[in-house]
Amino acid sequence: MDTAAERTSPGGHRTDPVLADRVTEALLLAGLPVGYGGHGPGVHLRPARPHDDSDDCAGLIALHWEPGPRLAAAAAMEQPQQPAFAARRVVGSTMRNALAEFLPAFGIEVVAGRLDGETRVGRADGPAPATGQDAAAPAPAGSRPQDLGIGADVVAAVRRTAGLAGLPVADHLHAPGITLTPCPAVEDGDDTTGVADLRWNPSRRLSAAADGDTPAAERAARARTAVQDAMRHAFGAVLGACGLDLQWRRPAAFPYQLRAYGLVDELPVRR
């Protein structure tokens, strides 16, 4: 595995190793995968490249999202108007937007760029949430989706579409990644049998710091909330583009829900 100090673009431009490490740490605290050496799904860091002669991007780091290998391979064989290519574009742009939403909560400056362009960071302009250097103690195993009455077809559909997008799915309620919880009915006749409400858990280390009794807990809690909100907002587009049947429910007397029902009929990548 290469280090941030060794990462370069094909043109030989280096990223600031201190900034790259700071950004990587924030992404890992958020619970997201990071692709090292240009390989694997998740966030990839590289030096920003100018859009044109007037674009002074020297010293900026560009963040890109690589989906799962099945979606990437299918998209590479298609034209822009075809399903897998379009799904990859939605996944990439939505995840870049999510990064721009939550990274400032980790003290990372996000630099405004072109609409639907790369997400760029320029510096760490504030303190990072204090989480300690050691990994948090393992959390007790929480309930698994099937233990909560969520349908096996729904669990399989979430795992399939998340795999296409390159996102992790939590094995149980305390694990990092996409979590599946039951959906309480919000009105008469609202049948939620087997349906999952999708949420996001960041890393255990960030959650442990946010729940701690230290002066830094408030900053860690703000970062956790920023990650959870940004990721949940992204799910509707990202997983929907990959073939998950989703619906937002925002009843006045209940917390809003992002309901997963299963797979749609027309999938961007054949089974």
Side-chain angles (χ1 to χ4, degrees):
M1 182 181 296
D2 59 354
T3 65
E6 295 168 336
R7 290 194 285 270
T8 63
S9 70
H13 300 293
R14 287 183 178 272
T15 60
D16 176 353
V18 175
L19 178 59
D21 285 341
R22 177 74 179 271
V23 173
T24 299
E25 173 72 359
L27 297 170
L28 295 176
L29 286 173
L32 289 171
V34 177
Y36 293 95
H39 303 287
V43 187
H44 290 241
L45 286 70
R46 73 183 189 198
R49 299 164 182 164
H51 300 304
D52 50 45
D53 292 341
S54 64
D55 183 15
D56 182 11
C57 60
L60 301 182
I61 295 177
L63 306 180
H64 293 263
W65 182 266
E66 180 68 15
R70 289 187 63 205
L71 179 58
M77 300 172 61
E78 291 189 351
Q79 299 298 315
Q81 70 275 15
Q82 292 182 287
F85 191 104
R88 177 173 184 168
R89 184 172 53 205
V90 170
V91 170
S93 62
T94 303
M95 289 305 302
R96 291 196 305 270
N97 290 340
L99 300 178
E101 283 184 42
F102 74 71
L103 281 175
F106 289 85
I108 306 294
E109 177 196 43
V110 176
V111 180
R114 298 192 314 180
L115 183 64
D116 199 32
E118 60 190 13
T119 293
R120 297 173 171 182
V121 296
R123 62 181 181 179
D125 60 357
T131 58
Q133 296 302 312
D134 298 327
S143 299
R144 299 181 182 276
Q146 54 269 34
D147 301 329
L148 300 170
I150 295 170
D153 56 336
V154 174
V155 176
V158 172
R159 292 191 180 281
R160 182 186 192 279
T161 54
L164 291 177
L167 288 166
V169 178
D171 289 332
H172 56 81
L173 289 183
H174 296 309
I178 300 171
T179 62
L180 293 81
T181 61
C183 286
V186 299
E187 59 190 18
D188 291 341
D190 183 21
D191 184 5
T192 60
T193 304
V195 177
D197 180 18
L198 303 185
R199 299 178 182 271
W200 179 262
N201 278 348
S203 69
R204 290 191 179 99
R205 192 149 59 96
L206 181 61
S207 291
D211 294 333
D213 186 19
T214 69
E218 183 178 353
R219 188 184 307 135
R222 287 197 301 268
R224 178 173 64 179
T225 298
V227 170
Q228 290 172 327
D229 289 347
M231 291 302 299
R232 203 168 186 220
H233 293 160
F235 288 162
V238 168
L239 299 183
C242 291
L244 189 62
D245 184 8
L246 293 162
Q247 182 185 44
W248 286 102
R249 292 299 300 269
R250 293 183 172 90
F254 293 84
Y256 68 87
Q257 302 169 354
L258 178 56
R259 296 182 175 185
Y261 294 94
L263 294 174
V264 298
D265 293 332
E266 298 293 330
L267 300 174
V269 178
R270 291 192 296 270
R271 301 187 189 212

